Amino acid sequence: MNVSYRANQLWWNLTAEPLPEAMRQQIESLLNPSQRKLFYRYQESDQWHAYRVFTTLQESGYRQPDLLAAALLHDIGKTKVRLSVWDRILIVVVERLLPGQLYRWGEGDLHSWKRPFVVRRHHPQWGADMARAAGCSAQTIDLINRHQDPLPPDSQLPADLLLRQLQWADDLN
């Protein structure tokens, strides 16, 4: 576990401010009104995370609109159930120390102590459903739905190549 990276994540969560207008305009030029409404459901720290994933892809030369929309909305399912900073820390610790348990607890009851793990496990599907309702393309929905799925390292399927790019940018941010 990269302690410095995780400390930065905690700092970003605690100190996030609203996105500047220029960044908001970039986002709004890509997303339709329903998708924008979804994006602004994020907590400010999550807006920054999504924006960093988006700009990481853009700065690396990726311009595919479905990929960029997925970058902005990949974690939108987390807005279904708000997680505290402590919930997020707990997820990271359990993911590192007890990865198998993370999955098992993620299949638990959303209204129990397992709530953070259930959100972690199910937010991609929830986000895909939300993106579908907001009029996202089938490819954007698929990327959101699969953004945490492991990929075969040698897959050359176009959808998997886009997913690999999204995962790469997400992992950096």
Side-chain angles (χ1 to χ4, degrees), residues 3-166:
V3 175
S4 173
Y5 170 75
R6 292 301 183 184
N8 282 335
Q9 273 190 322
L10 177 61
W11 181 251
W12 292 330
N13 271 283
L14 295 174
T15 62
E17 295 183 1
L19 293 173
E21 183 61 29
M23 292 176 183
R24 293 170 63 99
Q25 287 176 1
Q26 270 186 294
I27 291 162
E28 292 172 7
S29 71
L30 182 67
L31 302 178
N32 74 33
S34 296
Q35 295 160 2
R36 284 183 222 141
K37 192 172 182 179
L38 278 185
F39 181 84
Y40 291 117
R41 286 181 58 174
Y42 279 135
Q43 297 174 45
E44 289 172 345
S45 59
D46 292 328
Q47 288 179 17
W48 276 99
H49 166 70
Y51 183 78
R52 285 190 305 269
V53 173
F54 167 77
T55 57
T56 296
L57 289 166
Q58 279 194 319
E59 289 169 0
S60 297
Y62 298 109
R63 302 283 184 261
Q64 210 279 357
D66 294 332
L67 174 63
L68 296 177
L72 292 171
L73 298 174
H74 70 281
D75 281 336
I76 200 62
K78 290 179 180 178
T79 66
K80 181 175 177 175
V81 178
R82 295 282 182 191
L83 296 176
S84 71
V85 169
W86 299 113
D87 290 332
R88 293 167 188 248
I89 291 170
L90 180 61
I91 291 167
V92 168
V93 170
V94 170
E95 185 173 25
R96 177 67 176 160
L97 300 177
L98 303 166
Q101 205 59 36
L102 179 76
Y103 183 85
R104 283 188 289 283
W105 289 344
E107 293 302 317
D109 181 4
L110 184 59
H111 303 290
S112 74
W113 65 270
K114 297 177 182 177
R115 181 179 56 84
F117 309 107
V118 174
V119 172
R120 166 69 169 72
R121 169 77 178 93
H122 293 283
H123 82 271
Q125 177 60 53
W126 297 340
D129 293 343
M130 295 163 80
R132 185 177 297 105
C136 287
S137 72
Q139 188 164 50
T140 297
I141 294 164
D142 181 63
L143 290 167
I144 292 168
N145 190 41
R146 297 189 317 133
H147 81 270
Q148 291 188 156
D149 291 356
L151 280 170
D154 57 346
S155 175
Q156 295 299 312
L157 296 172
D160 287 353
L161 295 175
L162 286 178
L163 182 58
R164 187 171 287 115
Q165 294 161 356
L166 176 60

